[in-house]
Amino acid sequence: AYAAARPGRVRVVPSLGKLRYLSALRCVSAVAGNSSSGIVEVPSMHIPTVDIGMRQRGRLCGKSVIHCGDSMQEIADALAYALSDEGRRLAREAENPYYRPDTLDVIVKAIAETPLQTLQTKKFYDR
C-alpha cells in the first residue's frame, strides 16, 4: 500500500540478488529493517543500520547498528539518529565484528584438511 501510494518514489522488489543488493548499498544513506544483512554485511560498507524489532536482538553487531522497537516513533527517532552527523560518523568509524581478513584462507584450509571419508552422505527418501 505504501509503494502503491507513491509510484514515482517507491518501488517494491522481492529480491535484488546479491550483486544488485551490494551495488544498491552504494546509493543509500542508511539501511532499515530486521534482516541479518544489516548486521553482517552493511557495517562493512560504513552505512548505519536501523535494526527494527526483536528478530536480531542479542546478536553480535557493530556500533553502526542502531536497535529500535517497532513503533513509528521509535523507527523515526532511530532513522533520524542514523542520518545525523553523529550517526554517520559512527558508521564510518565502526568496525564490523564479522569481518576477518583471512576468511577465505580459513575456509579453504578447512575444506582441504577435512577427510572426505568422514563426511556423511545425505539421504533422500521419495514418498
Side-chain angles (χ1 to χ4, degrees):
Y2 182 87
R6 297 159 180 85
R9 282 186 55 145
V10 178
R11 182 174 175 194
V12 176
V13 179
S15 175
L16 292 173
K18 189 177 204 171
L19 182 60
R20 285 189 182 110
Y21 174 71
L22 294 173
S23 296
L25 288 178
R26 296 179 66 176
C27 302
V28 303
S29 298
V31 171
N34 66 2
S35 166
S36 61
S37 174
I39 308 271
V40 178
E41 287 96 9
V42 173
S44 290
M45 304 288 281
H46 303 289
I47 298 168
T49 294
V50 174
D51 175 44
I52 302 169
M54 299 298 295
R55 185 166 180 240
Q56 302 298 333
R57 289 286 163 91
R59 204 170 170 177
L60 176 68
C61 64
K63 293 182 180 180
S64 62
V65 178
I66 303 150
H67 300 284
C68 71
D70 57 5
S71 75
M72 196 176 334
Q73 189 59 54
E74 290 171 294
I75 296 168
D77 291 346
L79 281 170
Y81 178 76
L83 298 173
S84 72
D85 290 341
E86 183 180 349
R88 294 169 61 106
R89 178 193 56 76
L90 187 62
R92 277 192 309 274
E93 297 172 0
E95 292 184 19
N96 184 346
Y98 292 96
Y99 170 74
R100 300 287 184 267
D102 61 344
T103 300
L104 183 59
D105 293 334
V106 170
I107 293 169
V108 168
K109 183 177 178 184
I111 292 170
E113 293 178 358
T114 300
L116 297 179
Q117 62 274 19
T118 65
L119 300 177
Q120 294 181 353
T121 303
K122 185 174 182 177
K123 295 180 181 178
F124 292 93
Y125 299 95
D126 290 330
R127 291 185 176 212

